[in-house]
């Protein structure tokens, strides 16, 4: 199991973890969002992931693992664009594109994990990937409110973007 994939999975989920608890507060402050507006965020993100999963699998077969770097870079760009837009509909579109980046990352990371040559080591490799993801999500979620309150409303987005750039490297 490539340790670079584990590190990228940790960083990816660390960034996601920081952003998720701060997102409703950001939306309320920036767009005066109500609960229905807030619930649209995971819906459009999930729709972006769903739409992108099949084409991403096809592209992985053609482009290989650099697709993961593209997904991480796309999410970083979307995070930066998300904090500069003043329109909620544009913000929603950006979050849907973030789902596309997530699909690009997750498809490659999962394929790299299950391509471990020895079948008896695949289960362990998958467990390590899931542990890396969960560790990042737990630590990030614990820090999300601190970033928002201590460093400003845009900081969770910028932190996630930084995590994606480091993971891409």
């Amino acid at each position: 199991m490539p340790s670079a994939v584990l590190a990228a999975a940790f960083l990816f989920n660390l960034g996601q973890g920081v952003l998720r608890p701060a997102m409703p507060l950001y939306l309320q402050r920036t767009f005066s969002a109500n609960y229905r507006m807030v619930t649209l965020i995971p819906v459009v993100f999930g729709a972006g992931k769903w739409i992108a999963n099949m084409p991403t699998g096809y592209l992985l077969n053609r482009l290989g693992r650099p697709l993961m770097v593209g997904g991480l870079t796309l999410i970083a760009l979307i995070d930066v664009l998300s904090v500069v837009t003043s329109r909620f509909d544009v913000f929603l579109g950006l979050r849907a594109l973030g789902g596309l980046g997530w699909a690009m990352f997750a498809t490659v990371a999962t394929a790299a994990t299950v391509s471990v040559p020895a079948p008896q080591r695949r289960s362990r490799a998958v467990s390590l990937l899931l542990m890396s993801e969960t560790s990042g999500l737990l630590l990030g979620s614990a820090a999300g409110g601190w970033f928002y309150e201590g460093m400003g409303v845009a900081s969770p987005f910028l932190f996630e973007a930084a995590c994606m750039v480091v993971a891409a490297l």
Side-chain angles (χ1 to χ4, degrees), residues 9-10 13 128-140:
F10 173 80
N13 283 281
L128 288 172
L129 177 65
L130 294 173
M131 287 173 67
S132 294
E133 291 175 349
T134 303
S135 297
L137 199 55
L138 288 170
L139 290 172

Side-chain angles (χ1 to χ4, degrees), residues 80-145:
V80 173
L81 292 173
S82 291
V83 296
V84 298
T85 188
S86 59
R87 293 184 40 190
F88 185 70
D89 59 335
V90 172
F91 185 86
L92 280 177
L94 289 169
R95 298 326 295 170
L97 288 174
L100 185 141
W102 186 94
M104 293 166 67
F105 169 79
T107 301
V108 177
T110 303
T113 300
V114 298
S115 67
V116 173
Q120 64 273 22
R121 297 181 67 198
R122 286 188 189 127
S123 298
R124 182 172 182 257
V126 170
S127 293
L128 288 172
L129 177 65
L130 294 173
M131 287 173 67
S132 294
E133 291 175 349
T134 303
S135 297
L137 199 55
L138 288 170
L139 290 172
S141 294

